[in-house]
Amino acid sequence: MIVAKRKPLNEIAEMVAPYKRVSVIGCRSCVAICLAGGEKEVKMLVSALKVKNKKEGRDQEFEALVVERQCEKEWVKEVEDKVLGSDITLSMACSLGAQTIGDMYPSHVTFPGLNTGIFGVPEEQGVWSEKCVGCGNCIIHTTGGICPISRCAKSMLNGPCGGSANRKCEVNLDTDCAWSAIYDRLKIQNRLELIEKVTPAKDWSTSHAGGRRTYVREDAKLTPHQKKGKEAIQ
Amino acid sequence: MKAGSNLEKVFESGKFAVTAEIGPPQSANPEPLTHHAKMMKGSADAFNLTDNQTAVVRLSSIASAVIIMREGIEPVIQMTCRDRNRIALQSDLFGAAALGIKNVLCLTGDHQIFGNEKPAKNVFDFDSIVELQVFDQLRREGRQVGGEVVKDPPRTYLGCAENPFATPYEYRVSRLAKKVAAGADFCQTQAIFDMVMFEKFMDEVRSRGLDKKIHILAGVIPMKSAGAARYMKNKVPGMIVPNEIVDRMKNAKDPKEEGIKLCIEQIEHLKTVKGVHGVHIMAVAWEEIVPKIVEMAGLLPRPTFQ
Ligand code: SF4
Ligand code: SF4
């Protein structure tokens, strides 16, 4: 899932300070699960902002809202009146939610309340770790199911580097060296021959390096006729 | 001969090679390079110019190489993948070759977190092994990684680094084998303090016949103080410094003299290890000691060729 962190309270307060009516909109998907921007976090932020305003004598109105999935237009539509009825929207979804609202209502100002970070996995209560950076050409079948692009600090294809000590990464001694982990995994799978061979240069054009990506499923797209029908219903 | 460099000639002649490191200055002043080149001339077969080592901004390794070449000594330039994508790597290889630089050491590079520009965005389009493979293909086939044919390809002698003391230990020789397969001609090891562990590494190198395919330069670092020994033991990832060595430095009356003595003993020992074809002396911020160490280790005069 997408893992995000709320921005510091002061930064948010400063961002929204010039606006009178603020709609704060959370999301019930990834960011709710990672405890950053679900219903509870939206309410907590709004009360914190109110307390801060009271102390500092600022007069602002906040409305706490939450949608099912903020990255999908259909769900955002449900709060359209609230969005347009405010002077600014603070999105407590990941940046995809914030940009969905922004793209739907271009003359309305939408700010991000979260810092969107990683495609991550909950390791334990309150801990998420990055396991993919969306390179667009997955190779983990050759690396024991462990992604070296996201989990190695140098995205090496032929690791581990010379800084791996005690199977930890030289960049952060609390983090496992991805390539040590790959070695261990391939060893227990009896597939060590995979890292005896040189892995050649990677084609990064499928990653963000190739420019903004759009994925299209032709078979899932609506025909012009179906589109018209859908619009008519809405 | 692949490149015809002095270093290559020394290896090919079967003589025990000596290389030494020169750290370029953190400024635009060429003077320290000229000074070190003059001082060290004749004490090693080639001099290694680091490439923004530990991600600290320094005078570029290619420019440094040209500066020391003016003093009549041969450079080995390091080229890391941290700051260059495949366009820049190949372009710099052409540039280096055109300037007369014949030895290139391929490195992945230290992460920018260690340096003085921590918020930098890194590149890592390649790692050192891919870099070797691409450079080797360029010199052998005159073909870029993207397929473009190069009419006058660079003739470069290719080096790599390997650390026998990084984990997983049992994989390090395999990794060296990958570097050989990728085209490395010589390899410079991490500084060796744990001889027992290094000998084990070399046993496996020989049992896999790698000593016949690559020239290994064993790395040594002369230490000035017990503090330096402790620092390397505790702070440098992937470096093993046994307690006896830290103690020896701590108990020494004259730590500098002890450091020199220790380094010479290490070199004497390394000369006897089969498959080791030379030493690489990394006297970081103590370059002036190199001529003395080389002399005392009985490695002078350095061979010369027509
Ligand atoms: S190889 Fe690419 S797609 Fe696969 S997990 Fe890693 S970053 Fe994601
Ligand atoms: S220590 Fe391991 S994870 Fe860290 S940069 Fe080196 S190979 Fe990658």
Side-chain angles (χ1 to χ4, degrees), chain A residues 148 150-156 158-165 167-173 175-181, chain B residues 108-109 111 114 124 166-167 172 175 237:
Chain A
S150 60
R151 290 167 73 169
C152 165
K154 301 176 192 167
S155 296
M156 292 177 75
N158 297 281
C161 74
S164 170
R167 291 183 147 71
K168 295 291 175 190
C169 175
E170 64 169 12
V171 170
N172 177 351
L173 297 180
T175 307
D176 291 332
C177 164
W179 275 100
S180 284
Chain B
T108 301
H111 195 273
F114 296 110
F124 298 124
T167 51
R172 299 323 297 199
R175 193 144 189 276

Side-chain angles (χ1 to χ4, degrees), chain B residues 171-224:
Chain B
Y171 179 60
R172 299 323 297 199
V173 176
S174 295
R175 193 144 189 276
L176 178 67
K178 282 175 81 163
K179 291 182 173 177
V180 172
D185 303 308
F186 68 100
C187 171
Q188 172 182 303
T189 75
Q190 170 67 292
I192 300 153
F193 292 102
D194 188 331
M195 288 292 166
V196 178
M197 204 168 156
F198 179 65
E199 294 224 28
K200 247 200 241 154
F201 172 85
M202 287 304 299
D203 285 345
E204 206 192 323
V205 166
R206 287 192 306 271
S207 77
R208 292 177 65 164
L210 295 173
D211 57 319
K212 302 274 180 305
K213 297 182 181 157
I214 190 163
H215 298 291
I216 294 177
L217 289 164
V220 290
I221 296 185
M223 294 178 289
K224 268 184 183 166

Side-chain angles (χ1 to χ4, degrees), chain A residues 84-121:
Chain A
L84 298 178
S86 65
D87 300 326
I88 188 191
T89 295
L90 180 74
S91 167
M92 289 286 283
C94 72
S95 61
L96 308 180
Q99 292 184 61
T100 301
I101 298 180
D103 289 345
M104 285 172 73
Y105 313 109
S107 61
H108 179 78
V109 179
T110 304
F111 284 167
L114 306 185
N115 289 323
T116 303
I118 58 189
F119 293 172
V121 171

Side-chain angles (χ1 to χ4, degrees), chain A residues 31-96:
Chain A
V31 293
I33 297 166
C34 70
L35 313 175
E39 191 165 1
K40 199 171 120 217
E41 290 75 27
V42 168
K43 285 188 176 146
M44 273 165 50
L45 174 70
V46 166
S47 32
L49 286 168
K50 281 183 179 161
V51 170
K52 191 172 161 59
N53 277 358
K54 203 163 177 194
K55 252 204 267 172
E56 294 169 8
R58 207 180 0 241
D59 184 25
Q60 265 178 315
E61 290 162 25
F62 295 100
E63 182 150 27
L65 301 158
V66 61
V67 296
E68 201 57 37
R69 254 197 307 288
Q70 211 179 101
C71 57
E72 292 182 12
K73 296 190 185 96
E74 289 77 2
W75 297 107
V76 173
K77 267 264 182 238
E78 292 189 348
V79 292
E80 182 171 273
D81 294 350
K82 308 275 188 188
V83 170
L84 298 178
S86 65
D87 300 326
I88 188 191
T89 295
L90 180 74
S91 167
M92 289 286 283
C94 72
S95 61
L96 308 180

